Amino acid sequence: MVWDAWGIASAHAPLSDRIRTLVAQVFGVSGEPVARRDEGDVPLRESGLTAAHRAGLSAVVGADQVSADHRDRLLHAGGKSTPDLLRRRAEAPQDAPDAVVFPADHDQVLAVLTYCAEQSIAVVPFGGGTSVVGGVDPARGRFDTVIALDLRRLDGLSDVDPVSGTATLGAGSTGPQAEKLLAAHGLSLGHFPQSFEYASIGGFAATRSSGQASAGYGRFDDMIMRLKVATPTGTVDLGRAPASAAGPDLRELFAGSEGTLGVITEVTLRVHPIPETTAYQAWSFPDFATGAAALRTVVQNGAAPTVLRLSDEAETGLNLARSGDIGGAPVSGCLAVTTFEGTRAHVAARSAEASALLAAAGGTALGEQPARDWEHGRFGAPYLRDALLDIGVLCETLETATNWSNVERLKAAVTTALTESLGAQGTPALVMCHISHTYPTGASLYFTVVAKQSDDPSAQWAQAKRAVGDAIAGHGGTITHHHAVGTDHRPWMTAEIGDLGARILRAVKDAVDPAGILNPGKLIP
Amino acid sequence: MVWDAWGIASAHAPLSDRIRTLVAQVFGVSGEPVARRDEGDVPLRESGLTAAHRAGLSAVVGADQVSADHRDRLLHAGGKSTPDLLRRRAEAPQDAPDAVVFPADHDQVLAVLTYCAEQSIAVVPFGGGTSVVGGVDPARGRFDTVIALDLRRLDGLSDVDPVSGTATLGAGSTGPQAEKLLAAHGLSLGHFPQSFEYASIGGFAATRSSGQASAGYGRFDDMIMRLKVATPTGTVDLGRAPASAAGPDLRELFAGSEGTLGVITEVTLRVHPIPETTAYQAWSFPDFATGAAALRTVVQNGAAPTVLRLSDEAETGLNLARSGDIGGAPVSGCLAVTTFEGTRAHVAARSAEASALLAAAGGTALGEQPARDWEHGRFGAPYLRDALLDIGVLCETLETATNWSNVERLKAAVTTALTESLGAQGTPALVMCHISHTYPTGASLYFTVVAKQSDDPSAQWAQAKRAVGDAIAGHGGTITHHHAVGTDHRPWMTAEIGDLGARILRAVKDAVDPAGILNPGKLIP
């Protein structure tokens, strides 16, 4: 990905005239994009990598796999949250890791960690670099030196068991790489988060990612059968059976560990045959509460959709779920999207069952096209954010989850926190929301917030983020449903797991990483 | 339950003439039951409870809730494995906890743990006492005193959220109590392990129990939304949302912790409406491999049975899955049982789909009756074991799980280990097996082994258990799918989770229970 925005340069595009005019009018910005710097012109904090450390790391991975080049360092300078991008566009010099190290395999990762523990070098494991919570910030903590440990060379499919429906992938494989490798065996993972195109298998595991087809295929943590992890004190290889009663499930310590407890190098995943067919059906509900109750009925009934989502009135009104129509003629009500994948017989039966439930719950069928439109544009929203940032508009997303009975209350609390905080700063906000992940007992809530940038947009957002984090913690939500903790959600971790929970995490950290070199400042309170 | 056998006395029955004759003939035993001792006549290790400790514990829970009575101590002298029952029938004096303490609520549990940590008193959390792995042995470790902490007073339903489909139950509620309380709200948990009638909600969570309807409703750990746990260093209350990316899932440390990390006092569980209807269908397969492949097809296809099980040729031949016919006319092939619960429409569609798959995979439909027979007798097997033990026959069960591609190999390895070990001891064994829990990626294997008791049946079984544990660990199985670890599987825990996994468990233990009072000698290697 490019250093100061999402994705690849060729996919970047300025806003359409329609959107730019609308945004300029609503938020009072000029609509003229600011110039962005060329990556070669960006001043970087000087690399503190010593010759001895370069030699020591080179002895493990080879001299050509240790880089302190400007470009490599800049491309590992952090993730892709709005604060990340604001900082990258504003600050000089940029902070960056002292070096980027590219190990080839598990044993090299283990050796790098051993070396760094001995030499007091902080290590930031780096997959696709798509974190939106500061998870890959080049934070050095109490160490003089920090390296980014880029896992891209740990890619590939090392084993397929078609009878058991499992596949073993290297942690560095990206989403598209994994799907392509599996497709050669007629298989699919079915994990399609918005970061799909760039994020890695190891990153999905380390952050408890959840994809847009989670209703059908589960969260990424549900798919993990086995994890191989390198730590400064050795290797753990966890997961011997589809299910076990052999004590605590230690896989669940490393899933979501965000590089603070070890480096996930290999993951065995549950996979499924490439579906025979996919059915699309969009719906309109008169209001969010009616739509949410309808989604709940479908998931609690077991009608088994693959994708099940609902946009609220604000998001529907702006057509945010239909990339080609954003800012077009306003749409009333709440748009819901369903897809069903599988055998023709299952798809026919399950979509018919869900349709009957959704219609009975107050939905109006809109046909296939809006659902196909959503799917077509589903990885594109981060590009839109970049274009908005370019014209002086603040745009960020955040997410939580709660029980069905608490969905309305939590949604209202989050919306109020955002509108009040940003409004009080003189930058009235537009807040939109959708449900994109459903469970029998509850759902996720994903918010998009847009406002005019203040003179100090980083401080502006930090204030809003504090307000909304407190609102989530105070109204029964989890501080993150699928974005993970990183640095940005760390202030709420003690509220999430309690003082003793935090002590337990620190005890595990001390056991596996006594020197504390792994991803300092992330996750663990 | 009675002190030296399973269940309640009124449900005990001698073997039928048919079974006794058959067993006597096959295994060369007399068939005459030995006399069992009255509980009042059993010599017990003297209670070492000091007056000061009695006073200290009484100050927390009340004097009438601290018992060093012969009967209370005897009834908390351990679990219900075959070695437990052999020891209880053979040894004198019996070991027992120095006292049994009955706290009323979470705060009392917390206070008891704080007191015991200060006073160096070992604590064995005690739910239904149904452990078959030594999980509730009154082991005192390095402490002079051990108490059983009986949680029966922490029962009841404290909250129901019918919208979200969740219910909060006290850890001491038994299976039948929980189902009765939920039924008043039209809800069910659907967790029916063989121990259902006596085991407790907290015990299910602490051991990662799995019920006979796991295909439909999942394992108990799948149902856990929230856990409240008392530890010597404070309370943890985990689980804020249906799903979260807020770091490691610490619920998964306490699920399966078997009382070594804390005392689970309250559990919020996913529940479902009482099903409208249940369909039963039994099948015959020509051999186990064909039957296993058929089950795999059903679970991988998503036909969603509630119960899905398959007995091998040996178990089918003895009619062990049909309690009324055990030892009757031999049956060839392999019996499979399916049930489908839910709405009438779902049951009709799903049972039709599964039937088509099972027939196509080589199954012959046997109608409803054998499936109903299985359900009728499903909690009765432990009583049969007691009657066999009474006539000098050794009978024990053990279980594992593995990927579908490894099922045949693991089954053969376990069978060989049992037959060779017991054969070499001059007591040829009959080994039977069934699949009772299925997953998209694999299945459990549950073995029943029967042989003539040697002069020292405890040593006889210990030798066989070592052989079979090594065979499981060496052939890709988990050391336990749903019986848990306790003392009996502890020798294989390092093979299961590795040296570093074991170090992690000890680090967590040190963080929450620095005095090491909780359930000494169990689970943690």
Side-chain angles (χ1 to χ4, degrees), chain A residues 32-353:
Chain A
E32 288 306 306
V34 296
R36 291 191 1 219
R37 286 177 290 180
D38 188 78
E39 66 184 32
D41 299 336
V42 180
L44 269 192
R45 171 184 178 137
E46 202 173 337
S47 169
L49 187 72
T50 65
H53 285 158
R54 177 186 283 276
L57 292 164
S58 296
V60 176
V61 298
D64 56 338
Q65 304 298 339
V66 179
S67 171
D69 290 355
H70 177 88
R71 181 158 197 271
D72 280 330
R73 292 179 61 221
L74 187 62
L75 291 177
H76 293 80
K80 299 293 180 183
S81 71
T82 293
D84 288 335
L85 301 181
L86 291 171
R87 193 175 61 232
R88 227 158 289 155
R89 293 166 192 212
E91 273 180 26
Q94 300 282 319
D95 198 2
D98 296 298
V100 185
V101 177
F102 300 88
D105 55 28
H106 176 88
D107 289 345
Q108 287 193 1
V109 173
L110 202 58
V112 168
L113 296 183
T114 303
Y115 177 79
C116 289
E118 288 166 4
Q119 298 291 320
S120 294
I121 299 172
V123 177
V124 179
F126 202 100
T130 61
S131 174
V132 291
V133 294
V136 292
D137 278 3
R140 59 196 74 223
R142 59 192 170 79
F143 303 99
D144 293 332
T145 307
V146 58
I147 63 166
L149 191 67
D150 188 305
L151 300 160
R152 68 183 61 189
R153 294 171 70 206
L154 279 79
D155 62 350
L157 179 64
S158 61
D159 187 58
V160 177
D161 178 348
V163 172
S164 308
T166 64
T168 302
L169 286 154
S173 314
T174 65
Q177 284 173 342
E179 286 294 343
K180 187 175 173 192
L181 290 165
L182 291 168
H185 297 267
L187 298 169
S188 171
L189 184 55
H191 184 70
F192 303 111
Q194 200 169 60
S195 62
F196 169 76
E197 297 171 288
Y198 304 102
S200 67
I201 293 294
F204 293 146
T207 60
R208 295 185 176 273
S209 174
S210 190
Q212 293 163 348
S214 67
Y217 303 118
R219 299 166 59 82
F220 198 80
D221 41 20
D222 296 331
M223 303 176 185
I224 298 173
M225 299 291 109
R226 182 183 144 262
L227 280 177
K228 190 172 179 183
V229 186
T231 83
T233 47
T235 295
V236 279
D237 194 333
L238 297 163
R240 288 179 66 82
S244 173
D249 188 345
L250 298 181
R251 288 177 301 190
E252 299 285 352
L253 272 183
F254 289 96
S257 62
E258 303 186 24
T260 65
L261 303 180
V263 177
I264 296 166
T265 58
E266 193 175 275
V267 189
T268 301
L269 294 157
R270 186 186 69 208
V271 296
H272 58 269
I274 293 172
E276 272 178 30
T277 189
T278 305
Y280 298 84
Q281 181 66 48
W283 295 83
S284 178
F285 289 91
D287 55 64
F288 187 77
T290 303
L295 265 59
R296 176 170 68 83
T297 303
V298 169
V299 67
Q300 288 183 342
N301 182 281
T306 305
V307 170
L308 183 64
R309 32 193 307 137
L310 172 73
S311 295
D312 75 353
E313 293 86 344
E315 189 173 290
T316 303
L318 277 180
N319 276 309
L320 205 64
R322 300 178 63 181
S323 57
D325 289 330
I326 294 169
V331 176
S332 65
C334 290
L335 176 72
V337 166
T338 65
T339 79
F340 293 81
E341 292 183 1
T343 61
R344 281 175 229 292
H346 273 176
V347 166
R350 291 170 180 182
S351 63
E353 179 173 6

Side-chain angles (χ1 to χ4, degrees), chain A residues 161 244 301 346 353 405 478, chain B residues 161 244 301 346 353 405 473 478:
Chain A
D161 178 348
S244 173
N301 182 281
H346 273 176
E353 179 173 6
S405 60
T478 176
Chain B
D161 178 348
S244 174
N301 182 279
H346 273 176
E353 179 174 6
S405 59
T478 177

